[in-house]
Amino acid sequence: MSRIVLNGGTVLTMDDDGSVHPEGHVVIEQDRIVQVGAGDAPSRSGDVVIDTSGQLVMPGLVDLHYHTAIGKGYSDHLPLWEYLDTCWYPLIRNLDAEAAYWAAAASYMESIRSGVTTVNDMYRRLPDLARAARDIGIRAVLSNDVALAEHDLDTLEDNLAAHREVDGWGDGRIQVYVGIEWLPLADPGLLRDARALADELDTGIHIHLNESLTEVQDSVKRFGKRPTEVAYEAGLLGPDCIAAHCVWLSDVEIALMRETGTHISHNPSSNAKLGNGIARLPEMLEAGINVGLGHDAAECNNSRDPFQVMKFASLMHRAARVDPSLQQAPDVVRMATRNGAAALKHDTGQLAVGRKADVITLDLRNEMFTPLIHGDPDHLYSHLVFSANGSCVDSSIIDGQIVMRERRLLNLDQDEILAKANEAFQRVLDRIRP
């Protein structure tokens, strides 16, 4: 297999020392980074040498809370609970294999084109999602939408079957976690069973927690405790657990997250669009909780662009707290790279020798990065969080394979994905309309 040599770009490593190389190199062999540093790296016969002059080379972004989406922009004017009951659940209950595949392909395509190299995707029909992830080349952690049987979603048996079938596909790029939809469709017994299954399979857990006030109120009414307290007593939380949203955490619940080492996915743009509130991110970080970023779903966000999520993750908290010192740009980029990778226990999120080769390049010869003080990391971080969007992403390398070059997907045909995704949505929509 040929080495890939990236020469001449500004290399933002996100490593432990925060190293930035204004004219640097990254060398990849198979699925690993083998050299990072200043200047050009010498090439060998047969190497794939990419001139990244005028570009930023950085770790791929990790979308830590993700749902494949089939119906972006459809009936999205409703509050969360009403939207779920009238739109989201009917759509995902009526998926067929091809609809799930093309919805996932369209979702992953938009993510790749926006700089994402890893998705933590909770949805249904995991084998079809796994086919799409394998074919397009993205790194994907998949989990089922598990709920109590009467809600007609997925069961732990479905999750077990998916793990047996597709975990490890794509040379290990595809993993299967145990997923729990949310506590209003579950109970403590299901949470205990989910923990037991995750332990048996030696895999992780993905769950929504404390997303809305109505969820908290429902939990207190049904169980006499708040959602995170219920999850804690059921043994669900832990360093292998990713809790999404966590908008309405009490001080006690923040302490439980810290005690158990549970990771949190902060999804500010989705929370804002649904009117669910603003999470207590400063308190989470002060407690030492590892927090990554997610877009949630395009149905309740309308964009999978992680740069938009990064901007929200800073501005919302500054506005709400009247404090411009919060969520400085380097910290936010760290949340989108290193923190997300750490939550999933992946060797990604930074450009360092021995790490997995998930690398993206961005065009710095763009109005979004103008003006730019050459060699000034603070200026660069500011543009990444407050100015850039996914359209500035030029190329993507995932697991040592080039999956996008000069904004062109290499593994699947973009026009076919768009056409098939449109057909899939119309087919599923026809099933749910009266």
Side-chain angles (χ1 to χ4, degrees):
M1 184 180 295
S2 300
R3 297 193 318 162
I4 300 173
V5 180
L6 306 173
N7 274 337
T10 297
V11 179
L12 183 68
T13 67
M14 302 303 299
D15 66 9
D16 293 342
D17 297 324
S19 305
V20 180
H21 306 293
E23 286 91 18
H25 66 268
V26 177
V27 180
I28 297 165
E29 286 189 15
Q30 298 184 2
D31 63 342
R32 298 282 173 174
I33 296 169
V34 295
Q35 292 180 44
V36 180
D40 284 352
S43 60
R44 308 171 185 167
S45 175
D47 285 352
V48 176
V49 181
I50 300 175
D51 181 5
T52 55
S53 301
Q55 295 187 344
L56 174 68
V57 183
M58 66 176 289
L61 306 177
V62 178
D63 198 328
L64 192 57
H65 181 57
Y66 194 104
H67 301 285
T68 279
I70 194 167
K72 178 171 70 173
Y74 176 72
S75 192
D76 63 353
H77 59 288
L78 301 170
L80 175 61
W81 209 309
E82 188 177 352
Y83 172 75
L84 291 172
D85 284 341
T86 62
C87 184
W88 177 267
Y89 291 141
L91 284 173
I92 66 174
R93 287 182 181 121
N94 284 278
L95 291 168
D96 56 62
E98 287 303 288
Y101 177 89
W102 291 111
S107 299
Y108 301 157
M109 177 185 73
E110 185 176 346
S111 292
I112 289 171
R113 287 170 56 81
S114 298
V116 171
T117 54
T118 300
V119 298
N120 184 32
D121 187 2
M122 179 191 289
Y123 206 57
R124 305 194 72 193
R125 304 194 68 102
L126 264 57
D128 303 311
L129 269 61
R131 286 193 298 124
R134 179 192 61 193
D135 292 350
I136 205 167
I138 202 165
R139 190 181 301 281
V141 179
L142 308 175
S143 55
N144 287 80
D145 241 341
V146 173
L148 293 169
E150 61 261 32
H151 298 293
D152 191 26
L153 293 173
D154 288 345
T155 66
L156 290 176
E157 288 73 21
D158 295 323
N159 217 151
L160 173 60
H163 189 278
R164 287 174 172 168
E165 182 175 350
V166 303
D167 185 69
W169 274 21
D171 296 323
R173 280 187 293 104
I174 297 165
Q175 296 172 269
V176 174
Y177 273 22
V178 175
I180 293 289
E181 167 62 349
W182 67 335
L183 201 50
L185 305 191
D187 62 19
L190 183 59
L191 300 192
R192 287 191 291 271
D193 290 344
R195 164 50 67 194
L197 180 60
D199 289 348
E200 175 188 338
L201 298 176
D202 192 24
T203 193
I205 293 171
H206 188 185
I207 184 173
H208 301 87
L209 277 177
N210 295 60
E211 180 175 2
S212 68
L213 274 174
T214 51
E215 176 194 348
V216 175
Q217 292 161 357
D218 177 77
S219 178
V220 171
K221 180 179 178 181
R222 293 171 65 207
F223 310 119
K225 296 180 178 65
R226 297 168 64 88
T228 295
E229 295 171 339
V230 175
Y232 176 80
E233 292 191 2
L236 190 81
L237 304 181
D240 58 356
C241 179
I242 295 166
H245 298 293
C246 298
V247 178
W248 296 99
L249 291 182
S250 67
D251 288 347
V252 168
E253 289 173 303
I254 288 176
L256 294 178
M257 291 289 189
R258 177 187 60 214
E259 175 190 331
T260 56
T262 300
H263 309 273
I264 292 176
S265 177
H266 180 42
N267 317 302
S269 43
S270 170
N271 298 152
K273 183 171 186 287
L274 290 168
N276 280 331
I278 301 175
R280 299 175 65 193
L281 179 61
E283 286 82 4
M284 296 175 192
L285 296 174
E286 186 178 358
I289 296 169
N290 181 55
V291 181
L293 297 178
H295 88 284
D296 192 12
E299 278 97 342
C300 51
N301 189 324
N302 298 74
S303 171
R304 298 180 185 88
D305 189 334
F307 294 92
Q308 182 186 85
V309 176
M310 283 194 280
K311 187 170 185 176
F312 268 79
S314 180
L315 299 191
M316 282 180 63
H317 303 286
R318 295 182 182 201
R321 307 292 179 101
V322 197
D323 185 352
S325 72
L326 295 175
Q327 301 356 115
Q328 293 296 309
D331 301 323
V332 175
V333 176
R334 193 173 296 110
M335 291 170 69
T337 53
R338 289 184 58 134
N339 291 14
L344 295 168
K345 297 178 174 55
H346 288 174
D347 282 339
T348 62
Q350 56 181 297
L351 306 184
V353 173
R355 294 279 176 168
K356 282 278 193 177
D358 287 9
V359 183
I360 59 174
T361 70
L362 286 69
D363 183 8
L364 297 179
R365 296 162 294 193
N366 183 297
E367 64 274 12
M368 288 181 276
F369 290 93
T370 303
L372 178 62
I373 301 171
H374 185 67
D376 184 342
D378 289 336
H379 206 188
L380 190 57
Y381 279 119
S382 177
H383 286 329
L384 283 172
V385 172
F386 300 119
S387 178
N389 63 50
S391 68
C392 65
V393 177
D394 179 85
S395 299
S396 177
I397 299 169
I398 303 175
D399 211 35
Q401 302 296 313
I402 302 173
V403 300
M404 183 175 73
R405 183 79 182 269
E406 296 177 348
R407 296 199 62 74
R408 184 175 66 87
L409 292 178
L410 301 186
N411 296 331
L412 289 178
D413 181 79
Q414 178 176 330
D415 291 338
E416 182 182 18
I417 292 172
L418 297 176
K420 295 290 189 181
N422 276 325
E423 292 172 7
F425 174 59
Q426 188 62 57
R427 186 168 66 251
V428 174
L429 191 59
D430 288 343
R431 293 175 185 151
I432 69 173
R433 279 176 167 167

